[in-house]
Amino acid sequence: MTAEDPTPTTPAEEHSTRGAYVAIGESFDRDMNYIDDRITRDGRDGWPVEAGRYRLVAARACPWANRTLISRRLLGLETALSVGMPGPTHDKRSWTFDLDEGGVDPVLGYERLQQAYFARFPDYPRGITVPAVVDVSSRAVVTNDFQQITLDFATEWTAHHREGAPDLYPEAQREEIDALNRWMLHHVNNGVYKTGFAGSQEVYEKEYRALWAALDELEERLGRSRYLMGPSITEADVRLFPTLIRFDPVYHGHFKANRQTLASMPNLWNYTKDLFTTPGFGDTVDFAQIKRHYYYVHEDINPTQVVPLGPALEPLLEGHDRDRFDTDTWGPQGTAPGAPLAAEVVDPAHTPLHVTGR
């Protein structure tokens, strides 16, 4: 399929510009019907964990994909699981590989992620979403279940973890992590979208208040420990960070979540700065792609498609106060990940990390 190929449209186009969102009256809710196949050690769904067999497709612009890039870095899965990165924008059909030479993913040979979905489901009716894991040999999508993918990275891919990989999903805390993650998904990760895509003043005000009530609760929680679950980083931090790092550049203005900036909330802001300068977090963030995606793709919210120049990013490198808490960032046997692969380094012009050479 070429860029000029007049492929027939599908029902997925009806909501592709809003990812997996569907309208419910004047409100928006996330379509949670994902391809729920899992890649596991025992291969019980037909997809056994194998180094080199799969390719993670994850756009840096997308917060749901960003969490998979963070998890992959923290656990050291780079050599076992390759990554394809679409550009920051997409059309009604699909995310596209326009950052690659010739606009084609060099491993899959595709111009559009849609092709991997259609290779397995020719009549796939839902949104073509990232992250997605694709089987390289068949070039067909395996799963796009963003909530399960990172859990499986932590628990099923352990044979390919780097030495010193942190335990992001410790067994003793799983029940609490799961409960917190469900709450954050509804009230924070999705909460910003519910606010931004509200179709009436009444719905907007309801979702706005719910979002800020949740952020206030997190502000209080982060006044008790360095990370969400205590002294060490867990899956919960991996899920919250992509929302927080996008808050002031995008959600505050674009989604009208503007009671105040994140930078004015001491615990949330210092927590965000702390994680941004932690290896595996900030080095996966491309602010230029993030802003290009939201302000360009959401034409119904921003019809001019003008992308703002601000806010200034250098404050993310200012000192934080999180070391006042007990800290065991990587866990008892854990260590920080090494530098990103050369091919996966974020463009220095798109991040303030280059200011200090971190």
Side-chain angles (χ1 to χ4, degrees), residues 192-256:
V192 291
Y193 286 87
K194 292 176 182 179
T195 303
F197 289 149
S200 73
Q201 188 70 32
E202 180 181 6
V203 171
Y204 163 73
E205 292 183 9
K206 172 189 172 185
E207 299 299 349
Y208 173 98
R209 292 189 180 99
L211 169 64
W212 281 105
L215 289 172
D216 286 340
E217 190 168 334
L218 287 172
E219 173 75 5
E220 181 180 356
R221 183 185 184 110
L222 288 168
R224 300 192 295 267
S225 62
R226 183 158 189 170
Y227 306 109
L228 286 171
M229 296 300 300
S232 303
I233 287 170
T234 67
E235 172 76 12
D237 302 294
V238 172
R239 295 194 183 199
L240 180 58
F241 174 78
T243 298
L244 298 184
I245 202 63
R246 287 160 174 77
F247 198 90
D248 285 2
V250 176
Y251 303 145
H252 177 270
H254 184 59
F255 280 173
K256 307 181 188 71

Side-chain angles (χ1 to χ4, degrees), residues 10-329:
T10 74
E13 293 189 10
E14 296 302 318
H15 53 104
S16 63
T17 59
R18 289 183 173 179
Y21 273 80
V22 292
I24 302 179
E26 296 173 334
S27 301
F28 284 86
D29 202 2
R30 178 165 288 274
D31 179 358
M32 295 298 290
N33 293 294
Y34 291 92
I35 304 167
D36 60 2
D37 284 18
R38 294 176 58 190
I39 301 170
T40 58
R41 281 173 289 185
D42 61 9
R44 55 187 177 273
D45 286 352
W47 308 104
V49 170
E50 293 179 18
R53 175 169 176 173
Y54 306 99
R55 185 162 177 82
L56 171 66
V57 178
R60 289 196 189 277
C62 170
W64 317 101
N66 193 177
R67 55 174 69 172
T68 64
L69 295 175
I70 294 169
S71 178
R72 176 176 171 269
R73 280 271 292 123
L74 296 180
L75 298 173
L77 292 174
E78 293 99 321
T79 57
L81 179 68
S82 68
V83 67
M85 295 185 184
T89 64
H90 56 72
D91 58 22
K92 290 183 177 180
R93 288 164 59 191
S94 172
W95 293 86
T96 55
F97 294 102
D98 46 285
L99 300 179
D100 291 308
E101 185 176 354
V104 175
D105 180 89
V107 172
L108 301 175
Y110 287 151
E111 296 171 341
R112 295 176 173 275
L113 179 57
Q114 182 188 58
Q115 293 167 275
Y117 279 71
F118 286 177
R120 185 171 176 201
F121 306 106
D123 299 315
Y124 188 72
R126 319 198 81 87
I128 306 299
T129 61
V130 290
V133 182
V134 179
D135 177 54
V136 173
S137 61
S138 66
R139 302 195 302 164
V141 67
V142 175
T143 180
N144 65 343
D145 188 349
F146 70 95
Q147 296 207 90
Q148 190 62 49
I149 288 172
T150 51
L151 295 181
D152 285 341
F153 283 176
T155 60
E156 300 292 335
W157 288 75
T158 52
H160 302 287
H161 286 184
R162 66 177 175 85
E163 185 177 354
D167 183 358
L168 297 176
Y169 196 46
E171 193 164 356
Q173 292 182 298
R174 288 182 186 179
E175 185 175 346
E176 186 180 354
I177 290 173
D178 290 344
L180 179 59
N181 285 345
R182 284 192 298 270
W183 178 84
M184 289 195 301
L185 172 67
H186 179 69
H187 295 285
V188 181
N189 307 130
N190 261 354
V192 291
Y193 286 87
K194 292 176 182 179
T195 303
F197 289 149
S200 73
Q201 188 70 32
E202 180 181 6
V203 171
Y204 163 73
E205 292 183 9
K206 172 189 172 185
E207 299 299 349
Y208 173 98
R209 292 189 180 99
L211 169 64
W212 281 105
L215 289 172
D216 286 340
E217 190 168 334
L218 287 172
E219 173 75 5
E220 181 180 356
R221 183 185 184 110
L222 288 168
R224 300 192 295 267
S225 62
R226 183 158 189 170
Y227 306 109
L228 286 171
M229 296 300 300
S232 303
I233 287 170
T234 67
E235 172 76 12
D237 302 294
V238 172
R239 295 194 183 199
L240 180 58
F241 174 78
T243 298
L244 298 184
I245 202 63
R246 287 160 174 77
F247 198 90
D248 285 2
V250 176
Y251 303 145
H252 177 270
H254 184 59
F255 280 173
K256 307 181 188 71
N258 59 357
R259 189 189 77 180
Q260 62 193 102
T261 62
L262 199 69
S264 68
M265 303 184 76
N267 292 324
L268 278 168
W269 180 238
N270 279 286
Y271 169 82
T272 301
K273 290 191 293 181
D274 183 11
L275 287 181
F276 183 74
T277 54
T278 297
F281 285 86
D283 54 35
T284 69
V285 176
D286 187 313
F287 286 102
Q289 289 196 32
I290 288 169
K291 292 196 295 183
R292 175 73 172 173
H293 171 72
Y294 285 95
Y295 287 100
Y296 189 85
V297 170
H298 298 160
E299 292 184 68
D300 49 348
I301 298 176
N302 186 41
T304 65
Q305 297 181 302
V306 172
V307 179
L309 294 177
L313 300 176
E314 284 72 18
L316 282 165
L317 299 181
E318 295 174 354
H320 61 76
D321 63 359
R322 303 303 290 173
D323 52 6
R324 73 184 193 269
F325 297 110
D326 290 341
T327 301
D328 186 15
T329 299

